[in-house]
């Protein structure tokens, strides 16, 4: 998901002289209604929080290569008719968005000190589960909840922000994934194949990236089968 965010944020300032205190000076923020309305982002975050069973989160990151200001210079808020909600941008460009009451979100917009049209933000759907806690039961839960969210709970105008999930992807530097479970008192193990042509979502353009395997939940393995991930494995969703 990519969208551009509007311009102009000057913080209020107050100067203290020896004999008087000057009043704060504010510069009004100009709202750009061509930007994705914050109410829609807020609605998606609310649905994920309420119906996502704690499985999903949205990660937001400033695309530094497409943003004219450097990250230390960048200032951003969500402004509604009721309040300003400052956004803290981390050193790698990541940031969190506030979850607002529905009524307040209807009047909210982004505001920033970047020139109009010169800031880009990426939003990605991420899983909250660490790789070592992934089981086939959890894979099937992820697929079920994702399907219910997209097909039944999200209105049509939000579905492009939550694309259809096809599988849980596991990427690792070494392709030695294995499932393990007990059956009739015996401990069984099953190596997982590398998915041909599956691209590591964290690989930069031109990089080969790590090998990956896929789990769709349709596999004929028991719910109790648990992933034994190689070191530094990363879970993601294949869209």
């Amino acid at each position: 998901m990519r969208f551009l965010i509007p311009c102009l944020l000057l913080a209020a300032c107050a100067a203290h002289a020896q004999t008087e205190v000057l009043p704060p000076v504010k510069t009004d923020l100009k709202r750009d209604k061509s930007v994705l309305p914050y109410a829609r982002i807020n609605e998606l975050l609310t649905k994920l929080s309420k119906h996502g069973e704690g499985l999903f989160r949205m990660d937001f990151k400033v695309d530094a290569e497409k943003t004219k200001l450097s990250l230390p210079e960048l200032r951003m808020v969500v402004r509604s008719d009721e309040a300003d909600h400052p956004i803290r941008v981390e050193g790698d460009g990541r940031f969190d968005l506030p979850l607002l009451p529905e009524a307040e979100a209807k009047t909210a917009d982004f505001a920033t000190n970047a020139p109009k049209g010169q800031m880009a933000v990426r939003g990605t759907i991420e899983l909250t589960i660490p790789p070592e806690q992934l089981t086939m039961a959890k894979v099937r839960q992820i697929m079920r909840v994702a399907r219910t969210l997209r097909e039944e709970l999200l209105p049509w105008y939000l579905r492009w922000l939550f694309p259809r999930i096809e599988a849980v992807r596991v990427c690792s530097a070494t392709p030695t994934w294995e499932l393990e479970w007990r059956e009739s008192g015996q401990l069984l193990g099953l190596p997982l194949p590398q998915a041909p042509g599956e691209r590591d979502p964290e690989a930069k353009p031109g990089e080969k990236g790590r090998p990956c395997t896929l789990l769709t939940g349709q596999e004929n393995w028991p719910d109790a089968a648990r992933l034994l991930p190689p070191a530094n494995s990363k879970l993601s969703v294949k869209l």
Side-chain angles (χ1 to χ4, degrees), residues 201-216:
E202 292 190 346
K204 296 180 180 179
E207 289 184 350
K208 183 177 180 180
R210 300 166 297 178
C212 305
T213 190
L214 298 174
L215 294 168
T216 66

Side-chain angles (χ1 to χ4, degrees), residues 44 83 211:
L44 175 62

Side-chain angles (χ1 to χ4, degrees), residues 71-128:
L71 293 179
E73 296 176 296
L74 189 62
R75 299 292 179 270
M76 185 163 48
V77 301
V78 171
R79 165 160 283 187
S80 71
D81 288 353
E82 299 180 25
D84 278 355
H85 301 273
I87 296 172
R88 177 181 176 179
V89 180
E90 303 294 341
D92 62 354
R94 298 181 188 276
F95 60 90
D96 294 323
L97 290 177
L99 191 60
L100 304 181
E102 182 180 358
E104 183 180 359
K106 289 180 179 179
T107 70
D109 287 299
F110 287 102
T112 177
N113 60 341
K116 183 178 179 180
Q118 296 185 12
M119 177 177 170
V121 167
R122 272 189 304 116
T124 58
I125 303 168
E126 301 289 346
L127 294 173
T128 61

Side-chain angles (χ1 to χ4, degrees), residues 127-205:
L127 294 173
T128 61
I129 306 161
E132 59 274 11
Q133 293 182 15
L134 188 70
T135 63
M136 286 306 303
K138 192 63 68 174
V139 172
R140 290 169 181 134
Q141 182 189 8
I142 290 168
M143 300 304 293
R144 172 182 57 79
V145 173
R147 185 165 47 251
T148 301
L149 273 168
R150 190 177 192 281
E151 306 301 333
E152 300 178 19
L153 298 176
L154 292 178
W156 62 268
Y157 54 81
L158 287 180
R159 289 177 185 170
W160 71 276
L161 295 173
F162 194 88
R164 184 175 288 105
I165 293 175
E166 297 181 4
V168 174
R169 181 195 294 115
V170 190
C171 298
S172 314
T174 54
T176 56
W177 316 281
E178 189 175 354
L179 288 178
E180 180 183 84
W181 71 93
R182 288 194 175 274
E183 188 173 305
S184 301
Q186 291 186 330
L187 185 63
L188 303 180
L190 177 72
L192 296 175
Q194 181 175 342
E198 187 61 35
R199 178 171 171 76
D200 178 0
E202 292 190 346
K204 296 180 180 179

